[in-house]
Structures are given as C-alpha cells and as structure tokens.
Amino acid sequence: IKQEELDAREYEIKAGGGVVAVKINGKKEILSIDIQPEIVDPDDVETLSDILVAAVNEAIRRVENTNNEEMAKITGSMNMPGMF
C-alpha cells in the first residue's frame, strides 16, 4: 500500500447512536458531517456539540490507526540489515 492509497481512503464514523455521521479521508480532512434533524435542539446545543467533537475525534483516530497498521505491515516485513 502506498501513501497515496492511504490518503485517498474514505471513512465514515457515526456517533450519538447514528445521529451524526462524519466522513473523513486518509489525509484527516473532513469531507462531510451529516446531522439527523432529531438531534438538533436549540435549547440543548451542548449535546450536539459534544457528539460532533466525539465523532470528529473518533474519525481522526480511525485514520491514524489504519495508517499506522498499514505502515507497520510494510516496515515490519522489511529486512533492514545494519539497523541494529
């Protein structure tokens, strides 16, 4: 897997029981945020904000973990004489 392939990947992360969905690419750029109308409560903006923060943070973690796992597969299988 090449870095370009990892960058081009898209992930969708749902939070708040699916009321918020965040799409992110492998470069950690948010592509879209989908919010279900039932979570939008003008008297409780804090809950929506908390769900959005959780979704975005989870999206970033998912990209980082996937990228790290893919890179470990590549570097873990490489034989680098003279490194140690």
Side-chain angles (χ1 to χ4, degrees):
I1 286 196
K2 297 179 181 149
Q3 187 63 49
E4 296 84 28
E5 292 172 4
L6 291 173
D7 288 349
R9 285 190 183 177
E10 290 186 8
Y11 306 81
E12 183 174 73
I13 289 76
K14 295 188 177 193
V19 294
V20 170
V22 173
K23 277 192 181 173
I24 189 171
N25 67 19
K27 293 187 278 188
K28 299 180 209 162
E29 297 168 336
I30 302 299
L31 303 174
S32 68
I33 298 176
D34 183 44
I35 301 168
Q36 297 299 312
E38 62 266 21
I39 193 61
V40 180
D41 179 353
D43 296 325
D44 186 14
V45 176
E46 189 174 336
T47 295
L48 176 57
S49 179
D50 290 345
I51 293 171
L52 286 168
V53 167
V56 169
N57 284 333
E58 177 57 29
I60 292 168
R61 269 192 299 276
R62 174 101 40 98
V63 171
E64 288 177 345
N65 289 341
T66 301
N67 287 351
N68 289 339
E69 288 169 11
E70 292 295 335
M71 293 311 289
K73 287 180 191 174
I74 295 168
T75 57
S77 64
M78 292 176 70
N79 184 7
M80 295 187 204
M83 287 294 289
F84 300 105

